[in-house]
Amino acid sequence: MSNRVEAEASAASPLSVGQWRWLMALVAVAGIVWILVSRVPPDAAQRDGATVAPMTGFLAPDFALTTLEGERAQLSDLRGSPVIVNFWATWCPPCRAEMPELEAVWRQYKDTGLVLLGVDQAESANVVAQFARGALGVTFPILLDTNLAVRDQYAVRALPTTVFIDAAGRIQDVKVGGPLDKAAIIDGVNKIVTR
Amino acid sequence: MMPVIQFLGFTIPTGPLFAVLAFVLGSELGARALGRVAPPNQRPQWREAFGTGSFLALAAGLVGARLGYALQYLPLYLAAPGMLLSIRPGTLAPIPGMLVAGLVLIIYLRWRRVPLAFIADAAAIGVVGGLIVWYVGQYSTGADYGTPTVLPWGVDLWGTARHPVQIYAAVLQAAILLFLWRYQATALPGETFWLAAALLGLETLLLDAFRADVQTWIGGIRVGQVSALAVMLAALYVLSFYVRRRKARHVAVGSTVYE
């Protein structure tokens, strides 16, 4: 009985060693052909980069909001500059915690033309100004997404969410959650800034 | 896409949820696979060992992934070591994490006297099973999206119909799992692992052609496909030695059975 069980467990392979080697050669040739046939077309990046979507590799959805100072700011006006869009709120502890790091990185990279936009979620200008300009002393532009339209455009599901947009207007990274430490912010900046 | 689900007033991101489910399924499948090949008086112990080992590996993997990420920005983390404790998915390096997790799993199970070949076989089955759930999660969040298509089952993503490549991958993984589960019953120790490597390589080689967000070399050649082909060929080469072992054992045992 034990010999029969052992025989079943050691059933011969349907292929001989030589046939196995031929199989390997066939796989190698077929694999190389498939790799060459399925190469990424040259216009693929341009095609995706021309499609508007809040995802990495796509064109960032355009929006126009009012700043804390009452001025109008439109994302497409910033084409040609790398942009960080940070979705936040004063009631969000991780958002508050990462603000100083965002300010520090923005100051460090200002000479590259980097623009940082803080998009506040449906709060009054007084509340936001008291916190951002008063308590924290941040100086980068703060925009008011009063009716959460931009949040919906960017499919923001959690705060904070930070979107890194290159000078061509394409999203290169989206970091969901926080607080972002300096390394994480610089990681995103490196994808959109060319020194 | 369903990046979040609402449950009892809570907003739960589906990405991490599916990651947890993938781990749980993978751990359970790996434990059962190991139990099948254990000596009869060791089955419960080996299954428990794999379950415990997988949780230890998960914890170690998270630490390894965080440290791997921090190494890229060492001066910043040396200046503020407390930042290391801020763990988020975007601040974890997956490859160091997986290497550390694999190493911890092997060390723990070897300490529990489980042979390496059986560990590899069980881990391979666990990984394949976990990937089924992982790919469903990718579909849910819209990650790893496909190339544009005119096929009727294309999924609309931001105005373009795209291959649901995550679903293709999940279905293929399920087929691979079924095959490996049945094959393990008669496989030699270690053989299931190499077979899994070959099949996962084949899956990547085929499906990367339908993935949009991929790394490429010059000429648009997809890096993942080249790596997958190399893995497949290496696995097939190792499997050729199992073919020889099977033939040798069949000849030896056959003469005993039919004597």
Side-chain angles (χ1 to χ4, degrees), chain A residues 33 42 79 101 144 158 168 173 189:
Chain A
V33 169
R79 192 67 62 86
E101 295 291 2
L144 302 171
D173 197 3
V189 169

Tab-separated table of all heavy atoms in Angstrom, chain A residues 33 42 79 101 144 158 168 173 189:
chain	number	residue	atom	x	y	z
A	33	VAL	N	8.301	38.091	-28.106
A	33	VAL	CA	7.399	38.589	-29.159
A	33	VAL	C	6.245	39.367	-28.527
A	33	VAL	O	5.886	40.463	-28.972
A	33	VAL	CB	6.868	37.421	-30.018
A	33	VAL	CG1	5.730	37.885	-30.920
A	33	VAL	CG2	7.989	36.818	-30.856
A	42	PRO	N	3.640	55.337	-28.457
A	42	PRO	CA	4.321	56.605	-28.145
A	42	PRO	C	3.361	57.698	-27.675
A	42	PRO	O	3.745	58.545	-26.881
A	42	PRO	CB	4.979	57.020	-29.462
A	42	PRO	CG	4.850	55.864	-30.381
A	42	PRO	CD	3.833	54.918	-29.841
A	79	ARG	N	-0.474	77.434	-15.059
A	79	ARG	CA	0.196	76.516	-15.972
A	79	ARG	C	1.589	77.058	-16.282
A	79	ARG	O	1.747	78.224	-16.607
A	79	ARG	CB	-0.623	76.386	-17.256
A	79	ARG	CG	-0.209	75.247	-18.172
A	79	ARG	CD	-0.476	73.876	-17.579
A	79	ARG	NE	-1.876	73.604	-17.315
A	79	ARG	CZ	-2.735	73.114	-18.211
A	79	ARG	NH1	-2.330	72.845	-19.433
A	79	ARG	NH2	-3.977	72.890	-17.883
A	101	GLU	N	5.032	72.264	8.192
A	101	GLU	CA	5.952	71.588	7.274
A	101	GLU	C	5.694	72.031	5.839
A	101	GLU	O	6.639	72.230	5.070
A	101	GLU	CB	5.786	70.071	7.371
A	101	GLU	CG	6.164	69.475	8.719
A	101	GLU	CD	7.651	69.545	8.994
A	101	GLU	OE1	8.414	70.085	8.162
A	101	GLU	OE2	8.079	69.071	10.066
A	144	LEU	N	-10.867	79.295	-0.553
A	144	LEU	CA	-12.059	78.857	0.174
A	144	LEU	C	-12.973	78.054	-0.752
A	144	LEU	O	-13.588	78.612	-1.667
A	144	LEU	CB	-12.806	80.074	0.727
A	144	LEU	CG	-11.968	80.966	1.651
A	144	LEU	CD1	-12.701	82.261	1.981
A	144	LEU	CD2	-11.611	80.217	2.932
A	158	ALA	N	-10.701	61.978	2.067
A	158	ALA	CA	-10.153	62.089	3.424
A	158	ALA	C	-9.323	63.368	3.491
A	158	ALA	O	-8.760	63.820	2.494
A	158	ALA	CB	-9.276	60.876	3.739
A	168	ALA	N	3.178	71.219	-16.462
A	168	ALA	CA	2.322	70.988	-17.626
A	168	ALA	C	0.869	70.769	-17.227
A	168	ALA	O	0.017	70.524	-18.080
A	168	ALA	CB	2.827	69.778	-18.408
A	173	ASP	N	1.378	63.086	-8.340
A	173	ASP	CA	1.260	62.319	-7.101
A	173	ASP	C	0.058	62.830	-6.319
A	173	ASP	O	-0.280	64.018	-6.400
A	173	ASP	CB	2.543	62.449	-6.261
A	173	ASP	CG	2.655	61.375	-5.183
A	173	ASP	OD1	1.775	60.495	-5.116
A	173	ASP	OD2	3.619	61.419	-4.387
A	189	VAL	N	7.282	66.844	-4.046
A	189	VAL	CA	7.857	68.004	-4.735
A	189	VAL	C	8.875	67.558	-5.786
A	189	VAL	O	8.930	68.113	-6.883
A	189	VAL	CB	8.515	68.965	-3.712
A	189	VAL	CG1	9.350	70.023	-4.416
A	189	VAL	CG2	7.449	69.636	-2.864
